[in-house]
């Protein structure tokens, strides 16, 4: 009843091919984005901003990156942590070498550096497929982390071995560094992820995205009809690493503040992969939903017993949390193997018919 | 979908209502300390005894003394699993709890410490990273809110070399000897390296640095190299499973264990369990004694365990890391007590407790009063020196328990302090701090 | 520059030739380590071979098996009883997994099943810790951790025992797969489970058997690794060490797991000892993966893996 497109006539190709052709969708997404922009900085506590929302946005960006590579192009990769580390360390080196460079430009440039590295480590994908490729990308993960540990140039020879985000301003407001407030960092992260998500959405709806999906579904047939596997796969690795690089830079500059290589180890790669799979492979919305699941569910599970008045010892609580989390993953996979994005799609389809049964 | 929204709604309501309810029931004469612990996950074997020691000492202070000058301690444990992001989340959740906010925070992880250092100055909560964390924060002129007394990694390395020299019969005897540093391939593991290299230059011993990749489950290649070098001494800066495997491998290659010294995070009860008999003779550095032979332990049994309020098992009392937790808690309590001498016997804010930390002067008579004579060393903290440059003792595993086998070995302050000050300038500038003038604050 | 080239191309080989006893030690150490990796890799191979599932939870199963065994031993159960008890627990676990995870997801894509095993990993991690506690536990299998010298080469008794056990296990599994009816049925299911169903092979029972056997392999791996480092959470991370073995040997081959393990083990140790010091050491982790990657570029399905037949 509410979600019908009756009365909405498209009079141009552009409006027909829009990302959100149905007006209700446009309103919903627009209002949601506005609400996300306005409500949390004003109303949310620092705990919610700092520990929940900012990491959510940053992980969403990384999940979009991995989704482009794994969900759309079908190249399973476990090197996400390594590429995020490249972005973070590149951003650190760039901003300490060129302090006057705008930090957003620094993020973009560090993404480009990560893209370059991603191109190099994507070369084996021309020969190796499936789970074998995943394990091969682990070589990238371990090597990059080792490199940043080993070569002190990357941390500017700091004795602590960590990189720290310095104070940087955008339009006069301090955006990164110890004096940046949580609402400012939140808005920056939100702006970046919205822009990049839009770019990604357009990318996957265009020729590039279609060539990726062709390679993913039937790569020999795709090659026969003229999709060049070398260019397509390397492009996928490059663009995906760009996103992961920017996300990695944001991780240090907007969330952690300072980091050592431990923050980028293999658990991060697996975490982003979980987000992508749970959220839905081959879906931009799925990246957001998956990140939300992975970030929010543990926090809800941690705070749930207290809010219900139960006082469990912390260790038991954490163990139960792990068990419930694992159980939830299996549950969601059984209910909808194509991820939360598919659940959302089904909900929308049901909403279109509501209140009628069919 | 409806169940999920219900859940989220209920949770949100509870989370909003929770703090308000807590505020209504808050006791006026209480101070809150957040406890970041890791009772689960890969480092739990180390985290559990520390957390128990902490909680037991706080319980003791409440039960035996009625709190600190009448102000009782409350605390809440938050599980971090040694992960940085969970540590930050725990800190953000707990920093404002209690009538005056968090009195102090013990991150118990170098990674989490680095995250909290910039926040501490903004939130006005002192960070007490006892014997770990950012070594450079020992220079209080740059890091007024961070304390790492009684001693730091760099000082520990110098004390270890001094002990080795002592055992060899004098500093000159070290010349030409071979010392190997097996370390965890992370910033924590590398902490001792600059000091060791400097001392190698000054004293003429041959130093080999062998890195072990995290987690250190498989160290065959490292120990083959050690066997080949055939050093006189081995120093271990490990963490977690790396320690257990290192001890086992050393025993396996037949290295004389009494020439194998672990730093104070590599020489605890958990580290020697898998090696069994082979670990006998393994030494470790420490700044407090192991065991239960002190009056404070008798008090712990009497006032805490006999009343059934112990955090862990009674057999765990006296473990190396349990005592670490006790010392940490004791120093925190004494800092608060010192702060009360200036600000009065009432619940204090983090800023007031910081003054207490900075002016802590723990004397030998006071230690005796606390039942800790010989347990740990007196420590004096000043505005410039948040390290205290305390001496280091050495303990040895005899197959059943750890025993102290040395006196207090002083650290080489002349070697360590200049580098520390240089590092402090570097790290402080990264965070855009300015140097305090301690003379002006007196 | 010439120093670097010398250090890479000439010096290590001179070293190997110059101290042959030490080189032999490194090789032997590599062989033993490699066989330990194969032990863990075997579990992966078994499950992948029969059900096409990449069981991410294999590492946690190793941990869980070791925890159960030590837990029973600590409670005073005699060794034989403890082993039987642990086997029973792992079979029960296999039954639960088959019922709750595998059956509902029976025809899904491999990556979905992979994710399900990840959920299983979280669950078992929390469950194992909850039941048995998070402390380090000693696992004493009666073999002293001493070394003896043979022709100037030091050999560690415990490692030799572990290597022999791995070899025996591989032999037993090989015979099981080739000579027994169940083994044949397993291979049929691995080939094409729909065809196997159509000729009457009970898929559910086969999966139960496979996961149980993988569980038993996990017990053995848990005993060997647990004896080395104590039974604690990090045991589950040995799975990461087994992954290069898997890609080198092929996901579907039992002899591949062994050969792969040997190559990775020896390659890792030789690389770390002779080339590692050039770059500051600790290169083992990524060196294993790079080595496997190099092999993969030549044979994309692994040394012994089934050739991937692609259809347009």
């Amino acid at each position: 009843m509410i979600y019908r497109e009756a009365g909405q006539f498209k009079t141009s190709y552009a409006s027909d091919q829009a990302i959100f052709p149905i007006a209700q969708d446009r309103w919903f997404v627009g209002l949601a984005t506005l609400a996300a922009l306005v409500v949390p900085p004003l109303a949310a506590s620092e705990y919610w901003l700092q520990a929940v929302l900012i990491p959510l946005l940053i992980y969403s960006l990384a999940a979009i990156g991995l989704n482009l590579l794994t969900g759309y192009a079908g190249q399973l990769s476990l090197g996400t942590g390594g590429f995020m580390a490249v972005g973070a360390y590149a951003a650190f080196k760039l901003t300490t070498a060129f302090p006057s460079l705008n930090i957003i430009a620094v993020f973009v440039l560090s993404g480009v550096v990560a893209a370059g590295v991603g191109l190099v480590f994507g070369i084996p994908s021309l020969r190796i497929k499936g789970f074998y490729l995943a394990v091969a990308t682990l070589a990238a993960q371990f090597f990059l982390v080792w490199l940043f540990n080993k070569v002190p140039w990357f941390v500017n020879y700091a004795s602590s071995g960590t990189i720290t985000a310095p104070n940087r301003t955008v339009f006069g407001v301090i955006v990164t560094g110890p004096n940046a407030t949580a609402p400012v960092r939140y808005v920056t992260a939100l702006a970046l992820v919205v822009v990049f998500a839009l770019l990604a959405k357009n990318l996957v709806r265009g020729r590039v995205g279609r060539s990726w999906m062709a390679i993913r579904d039937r790569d020999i047939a795709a090659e026969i009809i003229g999709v060049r596997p070398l260019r397509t796969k390397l492009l996928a690795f490059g663009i995906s690493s760009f996103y992961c690089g920017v996300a990695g830079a944001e991780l240090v500059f907007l969330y952690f503040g300072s980091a050592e290589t431990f923050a980028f180890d293999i658990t991060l790669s697996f975490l982003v992969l979980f987000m992508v799979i749970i959220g839905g492979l081959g879906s931009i919305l799925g990246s957001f939903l998956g990140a939300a699941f992975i970030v929010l569910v543990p926090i809800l599970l941690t705070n749930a017993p207290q809010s219900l008045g139960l006082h469990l010892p912390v260790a038991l609580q954490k163990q139960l949390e792990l068990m419930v989390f694992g159980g939830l993953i299996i549950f969601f996979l059984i209910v909808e193997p194509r991820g939360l994005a598919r659940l959302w799609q089904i909900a929308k389809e049901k909403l279109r018919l509501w209140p009628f049964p069919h | 979908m409806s169940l999920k929204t219900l859940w989220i709604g209920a949770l949100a309501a509870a989370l909003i209502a929770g703090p308000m309810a807590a505020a209504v029931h808050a006791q006026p004469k209480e101070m809150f300390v957040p406890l970041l612990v890791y009772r689960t996950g890969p480092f739990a074997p180390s985290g559990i005894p520390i957390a128990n020691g902490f909680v037991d000492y706080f319980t003791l202070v409440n039960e035996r003394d009625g709190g600190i000058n009448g102000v009782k301690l409350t605390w809440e444990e938050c599980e971090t699993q040694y992960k940085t992001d969970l540590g930050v989340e725990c800190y953000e959740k707990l920093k404002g709890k209690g009538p005056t906010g968090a009195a102090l925070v013990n991150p118990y992880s170098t990674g989490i410490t680095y995250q909290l250092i910039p926040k501490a100055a903004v939130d006005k909560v002192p960070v007490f990273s006892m014997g770990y964390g950012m070594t450079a924060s020992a220079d209080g002129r740059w890091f007024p809110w961070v304390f790492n007394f009684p001693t730091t990694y760099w000082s520990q390395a110098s004390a270890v070399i001094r002990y080795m020299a002592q055992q060899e019969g004098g500093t000159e005897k070290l010349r030409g000897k071979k010392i190997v540093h097996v370390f965890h391939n992370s910033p924590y593991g590398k902490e001792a390296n600059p000091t060791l290299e400097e001392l190698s230059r000054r004293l003429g011993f041959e130093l080999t640095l062998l890195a072990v990749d995290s987690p250190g489950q498989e160290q065959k290649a490292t120990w083959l190299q050690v066997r080949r070098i055939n050093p006189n001494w081995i120093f271990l800066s490990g963490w977690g499973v790396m320690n257990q495997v290192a001890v086992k491998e050393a025993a396996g290659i037949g290295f004389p264990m009494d020439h194998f010294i672990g730093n104070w995070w590599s020489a605890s009860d958990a580290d020697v369990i898998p090696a069994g008999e082979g670990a006998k003779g393994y030494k470790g550095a420490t700044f407090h004694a192991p065991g239960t032979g002190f009056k404070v332990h008798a008090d712990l049994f009497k006032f805490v365990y006999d009343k059934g309020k112990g955090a862990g098992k009674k057999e765990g009392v006296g473990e190396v890391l349990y005592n670490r937790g006790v010392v940490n808690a004791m120093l925190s309590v004494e800092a608060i007590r010192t702060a009360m001498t200036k600000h009065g016997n009432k619940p204090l804010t983090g800023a007031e407790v910081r003054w207490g930390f900075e002016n802590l002067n723990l004397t030998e008579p006071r230690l005796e009063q606390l039942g800790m004579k010989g347990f740990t060393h007196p420590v004096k903290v000043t505005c410039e020196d948040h390290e205290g440059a305390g001496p280091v003792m050495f303990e040895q595993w005899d197959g059943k328990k750890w025993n102290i086998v040395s006196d207090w070995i002083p650290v080489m302050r002349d070697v360590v302090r200049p580098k520390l000050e240089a590092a402090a300038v570097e790290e402080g500038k990264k965070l855009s701090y300015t140097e305090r003038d301690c003379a002006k604050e007196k | 520059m010439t120093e670097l080239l010398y250090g890479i191309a000439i010096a290590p080989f001179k070293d190997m030739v110059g101290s042959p006893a030490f080189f032999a030690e490194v090789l032997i150490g590599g062989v033993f380590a490699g066989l330990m990796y194969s032990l863990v890799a075997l579990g992966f191979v078994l499950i992948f071979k029969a059900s096409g599932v990449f069981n991410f939870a294999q590492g946690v199963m190793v941990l869980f098996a070791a925890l159960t065994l030590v837990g029973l031993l600590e409670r005073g159960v005699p060794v034989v009883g403890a082993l039987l008890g642990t086997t029973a627990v792992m079979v029960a676990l296999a039954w639960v997994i088959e019922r709750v995870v595998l059956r509902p997801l029976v025809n899904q894509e491999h990556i979905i099943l992979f994710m399900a095993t990840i959920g299983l990993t979280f669950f078992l991690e929390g469950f194992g810790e909850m039941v048995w506690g998070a402390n380090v536990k000693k696992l004493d299998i009666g073999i002293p951790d001493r070394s003896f010298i043979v022709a100037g080469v030091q050999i560690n008794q415990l490692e030799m025992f572990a290597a022999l056990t791995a070899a025996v296990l591989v032999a037993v599994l090989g015979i099981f797969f080739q000579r027994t009816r169940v083994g044949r049925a397993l291979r049929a299911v691995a080939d094409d489970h729909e065809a196997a169903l159509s000729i009457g092979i009970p898929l559910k029972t086969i999966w139960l058997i496979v996961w149980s056997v993988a569980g038993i392999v996990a017990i053995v791996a848990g005993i060997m690794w647990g004896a080395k480092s104590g039974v604690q959470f990090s045991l589950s991370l040995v799975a990461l060490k087994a992954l290069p073995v898997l890609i080198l040997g092929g996901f579907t081959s039992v002899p591949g797991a062994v050969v792969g393990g040997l190559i990775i083990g020896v390659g890792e140790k030789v690389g770390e000892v002779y080339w590692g010091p050039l770059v500051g050491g600790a290169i083992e982790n990524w060196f294993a993966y790079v080595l496997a990657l190099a092999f993969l570029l030549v044979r994309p399905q692994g040394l012994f893996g089934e050739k991937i037949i692609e259809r347009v």
Side-chain angles (χ1 to χ4, degrees), chain B residues 40 213 217-218 227-228 244 248 252 273, chain C residues 15 25 129 147 154 227-229 232 269:
Chain B
T40 64
D213 230 340
Q217 185 96 28
E218 226 291 308
R227 204 175 101 74
R228 191 183 199 187
Q244 286 112 30
K248 213 157 190 316
I273 287 177
Chain C
D15 199 356
E25 262 180 41
E129 218 176 63
S147 311
Q154 194 186 58
K228 263 184 72 135
S229 68
Q232 54 175 308
K269 302 295 167 239

PDB file of all heavy atoms in Angstrom, chain B residues 40 213 217-218 227-228 244 248 252 273, chain C residues 15 25 129 147 154 227-229 232 269:
ATOM      1  N   THR B  40      39.426 -14.359  29.059  1.00  0.00           N
ATOM      2  CA  THR B  40      39.186 -15.314  27.976  1.00  0.00           C
ATOM      3  C   THR B  40      40.129 -14.961  26.837  1.00  0.00           C
ATOM      4  O   THR B  40      40.723 -13.902  26.832  1.00  0.00           O
ATOM      5  CB  THR B  40      37.741 -15.247  27.450  1.00  0.00           C
ATOM      6  OG1 THR B  40      37.540 -13.954  26.872  1.00  0.00           O
ATOM      7  CG2 THR B  40      36.745 -15.475  28.539  1.00  0.00           C
ATOM      8  N   ASP B 213      57.969 -14.801  15.279  1.00  0.00           N
ATOM      9  CA  ASP B 213      56.713 -14.284  14.767  1.00  0.00           C
ATOM     10  C   ASP B 213      55.561 -14.659  15.677  1.00  0.00           C
ATOM     11  O   ASP B 213      55.520 -15.763  16.194  1.00  0.00           O
ATOM     12  CB  ASP B 213      56.467 -14.867  13.374  1.00  0.00           C
ATOM     13  CG  ASP B 213      56.114 -13.782  12.388  1.00  0.00           C
ATOM     14  OD1 ASP B 213      55.703 -12.700  12.844  1.00  0.00           O
ATOM     15  OD2 ASP B 213      56.260 -14.018  11.190  1.00  0.00           O
ATOM     16  N   GLN B 217      53.940 -20.219  18.178  1.00  0.00           N
ATOM     17  CA  GLN B 217      53.591 -21.607  18.479  1.00  0.00           C
ATOM     18  C   GLN B 217      54.699 -22.550  18.023  1.00  0.00           C
ATOM     19  O   GLN B 217      54.866 -23.640  18.561  1.00  0.00           O
ATOM     20  CB  GLN B 217      52.296 -21.943  17.741  1.00  0.00           C
ATOM     21  CG  GLN B 217      51.728 -23.277  18.016  1.00  0.00           C
ATOM     22  CD  GLN B 217      50.659 -23.221  19.086  1.00  0.00           C
ATOM     23  OE1 GLN B 217      49.998 -22.213  19.254  1.00  0.00           O
ATOM     24  NE2 GLN B 217      50.503 -24.269  19.824  1.00  0.00           N
ATOM     25  N   GLU B 218      55.430 -22.118  16.988  1.00  0.00           N
ATOM     26  CA  GLU B 218      56.439 -22.995  16.386  1.00  0.00           C
ATOM     27  C   GLU B 218      57.748 -22.213  16.312  1.00  0.00           C
ATOM     28  O   GLU B 218      57.857 -21.269  15.549  1.00  0.00           O
ATOM     29  CB  GLU B 218      55.964 -23.364  14.976  1.00  0.00           C
ATOM     30  CG  GLU B 218      56.074 -24.833  14.635  1.00  0.00           C
ATOM     31  CD  GLU B 218      57.505 -25.278  14.512  1.00  0.00           C
ATOM     32  OE1 GLU B 218      58.237 -24.615  13.769  1.00  0.00           O
ATOM     33  OE2 GLU B 218      57.876 -26.269  15.155  1.00  0.00           O
ATOM     34  N   ARG B 227      71.021 -22.772  19.212  1.00  0.00           N
ATOM     35  CA  ARG B 227      71.922 -23.894  19.483  1.00  0.00           C
ATOM     36  C   ARG B 227      73.237 -23.699  18.754  1.00  0.00           C
ATOM     37  O   ARG B 227      74.315 -23.995  19.276  1.00  0.00           O
ATOM     38  CB  ARG B 227      71.264 -25.188  19.015  1.00  0.00           C
ATOM     39  CG  ARG B 227      71.786 -26.396  19.711  1.00  0.00           C
ATOM     40  CD  ARG B 227      71.005 -27.598  19.273  1.00  0.00           C
ATOM     41  NE  ARG B 227      71.736 -28.360  18.297  1.00  0.00           N
ATOM     42  CZ  ARG B 227      72.775 -29.120  18.580  1.00  0.00           C
ATOM     43  NH1 ARG B 227      73.220 -29.194  19.814  1.00  0.00           N
ATOM     44  NH2 ARG B 227      73.380 -29.789  17.640  1.00  0.00           N
ATOM     45  N   ARG B 228      73.142 -23.199  17.561  1.00  0.00           N
ATOM     46  CA  ARG B 228      74.342 -22.987  16.768  1.00  0.00           C
ATOM     47  C   ARG B 228      75.223 -21.903  17.354  1.00  0.00           C
ATOM     48  O   ARG B 228      76.422 -22.015  17.400  1.00  0.00           O
ATOM     49  CB  ARG B 228      73.901 -22.576  15.363  1.00  0.00           C
ATOM     50  CG  ARG B 228      75.023 -22.588  14.429  1.00  0.00           C
ATOM     51  CD  ARG B 228      74.522 -22.105  13.134  1.00  0.00           C
ATOM     52  NE  ARG B 228      75.430 -22.521  12.113  1.00  0.00           N
ATOM     53  CZ  ARG B 228      75.324 -22.132  10.866  1.00  0.00           C
ATOM     54  NH1 ARG B 228      74.344 -21.353  10.526  1.00  0.00           N
ATOM     55  NH2 ARG B 228      76.177 -22.527   9.975  1.00  0.00           N
ATOM     56  N   GLN B 244      55.728 -20.308  26.677  1.00  0.00           N
ATOM     57  CA  GLN B 244      55.713 -21.733  27.006  1.00  0.00           C
ATOM     58  C   GLN B 244      56.540 -22.536  26.013  1.00  0.00           C
ATOM     59  O   GLN B 244      57.294 -23.424  26.393  1.00  0.00           O
ATOM     60  CB  GLN B 244      54.271 -22.254  27.023  1.00  0.00           C
ATOM     61  CG  GLN B 244      53.488 -21.819  28.232  1.00  0.00           C
ATOM     62  CD  GLN B 244      52.389 -20.856  27.891  1.00  0.00           C
ATOM     63  OE1 GLN B 244      51.852 -20.909  26.812  1.00  0.00           O
ATOM     64  NE2 GLN B 244      52.059 -19.982  28.810  1.00  0.00           N
ATOM     65  N   LYS B 248      60.127 -24.608  26.635  1.00  0.00           N
ATOM     66  CA  LYS B 248      60.195 -26.023  26.262  1.00  0.00           C
ATOM     67  C   LYS B 248      61.329 -26.275  25.277  1.00  0.00           C
ATOM     68  O   LYS B 248      62.066 -27.248  25.391  1.00  0.00           O
ATOM     69  CB  LYS B 248      58.864 -26.434  25.639  1.00  0.00           C
ATOM     70  CG  LYS B 248      58.490 -27.859  25.935  1.00  0.00           C
ATOM     71  CD  LYS B 248      57.002 -28.066  25.813  1.00  0.00           C
ATOM     72  CE  LYS B 248      56.597 -29.406  26.336  1.00  0.00           C
ATOM     73  NZ  LYS B 248      57.378 -30.541  25.973  1.00  0.00           N
ATOM     74  N   GLY B 252      64.530 -28.458  25.569  1.00  0.00           N
ATOM     75  CA  GLY B 252      64.719 -29.504  24.575  1.00  0.00           C
ATOM     76  C   GLY B 252      66.110 -29.543  23.982  1.00  0.00           C
ATOM     77  O   GLY B 252      66.642 -30.606  23.684  1.00  0.00           O
ATOM     78  N   ILE B 273      54.656 -24.416  32.966  1.00  0.00           N
ATOM     79  CA  ILE B 273      53.863 -25.641  33.133  1.00  0.00           C
ATOM     80  C   ILE B 273      54.122 -26.664  32.023  1.00  0.00           C
ATOM     81  O   ILE B 273      54.433 -27.816  32.311  1.00  0.00           O
ATOM     82  CB  ILE B 273      52.356 -25.305  33.222  1.00  0.00           C
ATOM     83  CG1 ILE B 273      52.064 -24.668  34.572  1.00  0.00           C
ATOM     84  CG2 ILE B 273      51.507 -26.557  33.058  1.00  0.00           C
ATOM     85  CD1 ILE B 273      50.633 -24.241  34.730  1.00  0.00           C
TER      86      ILE B 273
ATOM     87  N   ASP C  15      77.346 -21.999   3.670  1.00  0.00           N
ATOM     88  CA  ASP C  15      77.079 -22.353   5.060  1.00  0.00           C
ATOM     89  C   ASP C  15      76.566 -23.775   5.170  1.00  0.00           C
ATOM     90  O   ASP C  15      77.004 -24.553   6.024  1.00  0.00           O
ATOM     91  CB  ASP C  15      76.025 -21.367   5.600  1.00  0.00           C
ATOM     92  CG  ASP C  15      76.001 -21.340   7.102  1.00  0.00           C
ATOM     93  OD1 ASP C  15      76.743 -22.132   7.716  1.00  0.00           O
ATOM     94  OD2 ASP C  15      75.242 -20.535   7.655  1.00  0.00           O
ATOM     95  N   GLU C  25      70.474 -30.983  10.870  1.00  0.00           N
ATOM     96  CA  GLU C  25      69.565 -30.651  11.970  1.00  0.00           C
ATOM     97  C   GLU C  25      68.407 -29.803  11.491  1.00  0.00           C
ATOM     98  O   GLU C  25      67.255 -30.017  11.871  1.00  0.00           O
ATOM     99  CB  GLU C  25      70.324 -29.897  13.053  1.00  0.00           C
ATOM    100  CG  GLU C  25      70.769 -30.774  14.193  1.00  0.00           C
ATOM    101  CD  GLU C  25      71.512 -29.981  15.242  1.00  0.00           C
ATOM    102  OE1 GLU C  25      71.080 -28.859  15.542  1.00  0.00           O
ATOM    103  OE2 GLU C  25      72.511 -30.502  15.734  1.00  0.00           O
ATOM    104  N   GLU C 129      36.013 -23.088  26.200  1.00  0.00           N
ATOM    105  CA  GLU C 129      36.573 -22.315  27.294  1.00  0.00           C
ATOM    106  C   GLU C 129      35.658 -22.335  28.499  1.00  0.00           C
ATOM    107  O   GLU C 129      36.092 -22.361  29.638  1.00  0.00           O
ATOM    108  CB  GLU C 129      36.795 -20.876  26.831  1.00  0.00           C
ATOM    109  CG  GLU C 129      38.050 -20.277  27.377  1.00  0.00           C
ATOM    110  CD  GLU C 129      38.281 -18.900  26.818  1.00  0.00           C
ATOM    111  OE1 GLU C 129      37.438 -18.028  27.075  1.00  0.00           O
ATOM    112  OE2 GLU C 129      39.301 -18.717  26.130  1.00  0.00           O
ATOM    113  N   SER C 147      66.755 -34.386  23.994  1.00  0.00           N
ATOM    114  CA  SER C 147      67.293 -34.695  22.678  1.00  0.00           C
ATOM    115  C   SER C 147      68.447 -35.665  22.815  1.00  0.00           C
ATOM    116  O   SER C 147      69.115 -35.711  23.837  1.00  0.00           O
ATOM    117  CB  SER C 147      67.795 -33.422  22.010  1.00  0.00           C
ATOM    118  OG  SER C 147      66.832 -32.425  22.091  1.00  0.00           O
ATOM    119  N   GLN C 154      71.515 -33.290  16.492  1.00  0.00           N
ATOM    120  CA  GLN C 154      70.653 -33.389  17.663  1.00  0.00           C
ATOM    121  C   GLN C 154      69.214 -33.655  17.237  1.00  0.00           C
ATOM    122  O   GLN C 154      68.672 -32.948  16.398  1.00  0.00           O
ATOM    123  CB  GLN C 154      70.712 -32.085  18.456  1.00  0.00           C
ATOM    124  CG  GLN C 154      70.133 -32.228  19.841  1.00  0.00           C
ATOM    125  CD  GLN C 154      70.080 -30.887  20.556  1.00  0.00           C
ATOM    126  OE1 GLN C 154      69.476 -29.946  20.086  1.00  0.00           O
ATOM    127  NE2 GLN C 154      70.737 -30.811  21.692  1.00  0.00           N
ATOM    128  N   ALA C 227      51.252 -31.272  23.612  1.00  0.00           N
ATOM    129  CA  ALA C 227      52.427 -31.679  24.369  1.00  0.00           C
ATOM    130  C   ALA C 227      53.556 -30.682  24.181  1.00  0.00           C
ATOM    131  O   ALA C 227      54.372 -30.464  25.072  1.00  0.00           O
ATOM    132  CB  ALA C 227      52.869 -33.071  23.930  1.00  0.00           C
ATOM    133  N   LYS C 228      53.594 -30.051  23.005  1.00  0.00           N
ATOM    134  CA  LYS C 228      54.673 -29.091  22.729  1.00  0.00           C
ATOM    135  C   LYS C 228      54.480 -27.778  23.459  1.00  0.00           C
ATOM    136  O   LYS C 228      55.422 -27.175  23.928  1.00  0.00           O
ATOM    137  CB  LYS C 228      54.708 -28.800  21.222  1.00  0.00           C
ATOM    138  CG  LYS C 228      55.718 -29.594  20.463  1.00  0.00           C
ATOM    139  CD  LYS C 228      55.731 -29.166  19.015  1.00  0.00           C
ATOM    140  CE  LYS C 228      56.361 -27.794  18.856  1.00  0.00           C
ATOM    141  NZ  LYS C 228      57.284 -27.679  17.777  1.00  0.00           N
ATOM    142  N   SER C 229      53.250 -27.261  23.464  1.00  0.00           N
ATOM    143  CA  SER C 229      53.103 -25.883  23.946  1.00  0.00           C
ATOM    144  C   SER C 229      52.111 -25.764  25.085  1.00  0.00           C
ATOM    145  O   SER C 229      51.731 -24.674  25.451  1.00  0.00           O
ATOM    146  CB  SER C 229      52.637 -24.989  22.802  1.00  0.00           C
ATOM    147  OG  SER C 229      51.317 -25.340  22.441  1.00  0.00           O
ATOM    148  N   GLN C 232      46.162 -24.735  25.313  1.00  0.00           N
ATOM    149  CA  GLN C 232      45.572 -23.427  25.555  1.00  0.00           C
ATOM    150  C   GLN C 232      45.025 -22.898  24.242  1.00  0.00           C
ATOM    151  O   GLN C 232      45.221 -23.473  23.196  1.00  0.00           O
ATOM    152  CB  GLN C 232      46.634 -22.476  26.098  1.00  0.00           C
ATOM    153  CG  GLN C 232      47.849 -22.422  25.204  1.00  0.00           C
ATOM    154  CD  GLN C 232      48.830 -21.400  25.689  1.00  0.00           C
ATOM    155  OE1 GLN C 232      48.489 -20.259  25.909  1.00  0.00           O
ATOM    156  NE2 GLN C 232      50.061 -21.805  25.862  1.00  0.00           N
ATOM    157  N   LYS C 269      61.939 -23.774   7.625  1.00  0.00           N
ATOM    158  CA  LYS C 269      63.085 -23.764   8.526  1.00  0.00           C
ATOM    159  C   LYS C 269      64.353 -23.355   7.798  1.00  0.00           C
ATOM    160  O   LYS C 269      65.141 -22.538   8.291  1.00  0.00           O
ATOM    161  CB  LYS C 269      63.303 -25.152   9.154  1.00  0.00           C
ATOM    162  CG  LYS C 269      62.123 -25.669   9.916  1.00  0.00           C
ATOM    163  CD  LYS C 269      61.801 -24.833  11.129  1.00  0.00           C
ATOM    164  CE  LYS C 269      60.447 -25.212  11.669  1.00  0.00           C
ATOM    165  NZ  LYS C 269      59.503 -24.130  11.706  1.00  0.00           N
TER     166      LYS C 269
END
